[in-house]
Amino acid sequence: MRRFACLAMLAPVLAGCSLLPGGGTEQRTSRAPAQSQAVAISAQGRRCLAELGATGSRFSALPDKYFGAGCSTINAVTLSSLQGDRSNLDIANLGPVTCPTAEALSGWARYGVDRAARQILGSPLRRIETMGSYACRNVAGSSRRSAHATAEAIDVAAFILEDGRRISVLNAWDGGTREEQQFLRVIQQSACKRFGTVLGPEYNAAHRDHFHLEWSDTNFCR
């Protein structure tokens, strides 16, 4: 039923539009004026939205937007919640993400994070706190656009459990209990199976406080 409900929500949108390893930090650049353009949604895009709906995630499809200078949100959605094994999972501070990125996140949240939280920490997951997704920016020190500039990357900072504990990458990667450190390392490795690029505290100092999860064709996990 959720799948059909999500598809029904897409009807008004579909009628008129379609839906790093760089070793450095990323820098924000000025945005060009937003431009929208009606584009027929591809069959692949429709399949992704249907598959995302089937995961139990709650989302709204967005019209395609081109912001100029290599920045865009194409086949993107806004996620309001994900589905865990036993309940919905909240997600905080997340902006637009492409549908494939959202689908990878939904699988990781349920099968990677929620299950690891129960098995290692003894409590289900309640909320994932992010530091955002889309931003028109470059990889610092280069002219290359970050995956954030096309809404294909998410920065995840912390996890809230049902029992109220907050496990942050910044505080728990090295400073947490043995179980908290194990939890963060297990879920990072789980993310590496679903995302093309995953960067964490051991990559460089710029990632000491978050996991960078990037949908790509690469295979880079540090």
Side-chain angles (χ1 to χ4, degrees), residues 56 69 81 119 123 208 222:
S81 71
Q119 292 169 5
S123 176
R208 68 188 182 281
R222 285 184 60 184

CSV table of all heavy atoms in Angstrom, one decimal, residues 56 69 81 119 123 208 222:
chain,number,residue,atom,x,y,z
A,56,GLY,N,9.3,1.6,1.9
A,56,GLY,CA,8.6,2.1,3.0
A,56,GLY,C,9.0,3.5,3.4
A,56,GLY,O,8.5,4.1,4.3
A,69,ALA,N,26.6,26.3,-13.7
A,69,ALA,CA,27.9,26.0,-13.2
A,69,ALA,C,28.1,24.6,-12.7
A,69,ALA,O,28.8,24.3,-11.8
A,69,ALA,CB,28.3,27.0,-12.1
A,81,SER,N,11.1,10.4,6.1
A,81,SER,CA,11.4,9.3,7.0
A,81,SER,C,11.8,8.1,6.2
A,81,SER,O,11.6,7.9,5.0
A,81,SER,CB,10.2,8.9,7.9
A,81,SER,OG,9.2,8.3,7.2
A,119,GLN,N,21.9,-4.9,17.6
A,119,GLN,CA,22.8,-6.1,17.9
A,119,GLN,C,24.0,-5.6,18.8
A,119,GLN,O,24.4,-6.4,19.7
A,119,GLN,CB,23.3,-6.7,16.6
A,119,GLN,CG,22.2,-7.4,15.8
A,119,GLN,CD,22.6,-7.7,14.4
A,119,GLN,OE1,23.8,-7.6,14.0
A,119,GLN,NE2,21.7,-8.3,13.6
A,123,SER,N,19.8,-1.3,21.4
A,123,SER,CA,18.6,-0.4,21.3
A,123,SER,C,18.4,-0.1,19.8
A,123,SER,O,19.4,0.1,19.1
A,123,SER,CB,18.8,0.9,22.0
A,123,SER,OG,17.7,1.8,21.8
A,208,ARG,N,36.4,14.2,10.3
A,208,ARG,CA,36.5,13.7,11.7
A,208,ARG,C,35.1,13.7,12.3
A,208,ARG,O,34.9,13.0,13.3
A,208,ARG,CB,37.4,14.6,12.5
A,208,ARG,CG,36.9,16.0,12.8
A,208,ARG,CD,38.0,16.8,13.4
A,208,ARG,NE,37.5,18.2,13.7
A,208,ARG,CZ,37.4,19.2,12.8
A,208,ARG,NH1,37.8,18.9,11.6
A,208,ARG,NH2,37.0,20.4,13.2
A,222,ARG,N,37.2,4.7,3.0
A,222,ARG,CA,38.2,5.0,4.0
A,222,ARG,C,37.6,5.8,5.1
A,222,ARG,O,36.9,6.7,4.9
A,222,ARG,CB,39.3,5.8,3.3
A,222,ARG,CG,40.2,5.0,2.4
A,222,ARG,CD,41.4,5.7,1.9
A,222,ARG,NE,42.2,6.2,2.9
A,222,ARG,CZ,43.3,7.0,2.7
A,222,ARG,NH1,43.6,7.4,1.5
A,222,ARG,NH2,44.0,7.4,3.7
